[in-house]
Structure formats: C-alpha cells, structure tokens
Amino acid sequence: MATFTLRPVTADDLPLLLQLYGSTRAAELALVPWNDAQRAAFIKLQFDGQTAFYESEYPDAVHSIVLCEGEPLGRLYLHRRAHEIRMLDLTLLADERAEAAGNQLLASLQAEAEAVQLPLNIHLEPFNAMRPIFERLGFVKVTDNDTHALYEWRAA
C-alpha cells in the first residue's frame, strides 16, 4: 500500500500548483476556441485570483502538498476554525494513486473532525470529479448556488 504524506507548500511548488489548478479547468476550457497560450494566460489569471482570495479570506489556512512515496500528487488547503474544519481545496493529479490518496486523506480528516466534534466541509462545483468520492464517504450537500454546493460530513 502506498504511503501518502503532507508537507507545507513552498515557493518552489508554484509550477505544480498552477498545473493542479489548470487540471480543474481543463474540461471547461476545452469548450472555448482559444489557443494554448490564451488558455495558459487564463489559467494563470484565475490561479492568481484564487490564491489572492485564499490569502485574504483565510490567512491562517494550512496549505499542503500531498505526496505519494515522496512524489507530489496534489494539494490540500485546510482552514480549521472553532466551528468547523473547512477544506478550501483538495486537488489531486489524475493518476491511479489519486483515489487512494483522496480516500486516505479524507479518512484522516474525518477522524480529526470526529475527535474534535466538528463538521468537515468543502465547496464543490457540480462537475468536480471528486464529488462522487465525497458522497460515497458520507458528505451531504447542505447548501447550493449556481456555481458551488457546500458538502458537509459529521460524525454519527
């Protein structure tokens, strides 16, 4: 069984973080008639906007790189508050290890949430490829708008 660990994000991770963010927008960008340079510029602009938002709205959030056997596989951004544990972002590269990593990470976060008796939640877009994993693990949609739904898990 593969070993998954977390380490803090560093400045050297910028290319990986940009690649991860871009992977979340690939299906959407396939629908527009832009060339590769235009897509890359759009991804960079949106990534910079998301990064600035997280830094201004969640300054004490923990930003981690997900590793599998020491190799970068994804990112996990967490904001622990008195009333919840909020996953700001969980994005994994598309490969055979991703589902195992996602399951392992979510199980450890569920155990933490249960231990401190807090809900664990995340906003997901309707087309998020990990949504079925969250639902299978007991996350329930609690609010919904045109762009995102808040999914929450609570210990029984």
Side-chain angles (χ1 to χ4, degrees), residues 70-89:
E71 292 297 315
L73 180 66
R75 71 182 190 176
L76 173 64
Y77 297 171
L78 282 178
H79 189 233
R80 293 173 174 94
R81 299 194 258 195
H83 65 281
E84 70 179 353
I85 300 173
R86 171 71 54 97
M87 285 180 279
L88 302 176
D89 190 283

Side-chain angles (χ1 to χ4, degrees), residues 2 31 46 48 54 72-73 90 94 96 142 147:
L31 302 174
Q46 294 290 300
D48 289 345
Y54 286 156
L73 180 66
L90 173 58
E96 66 279 356
V142 293
T147 60

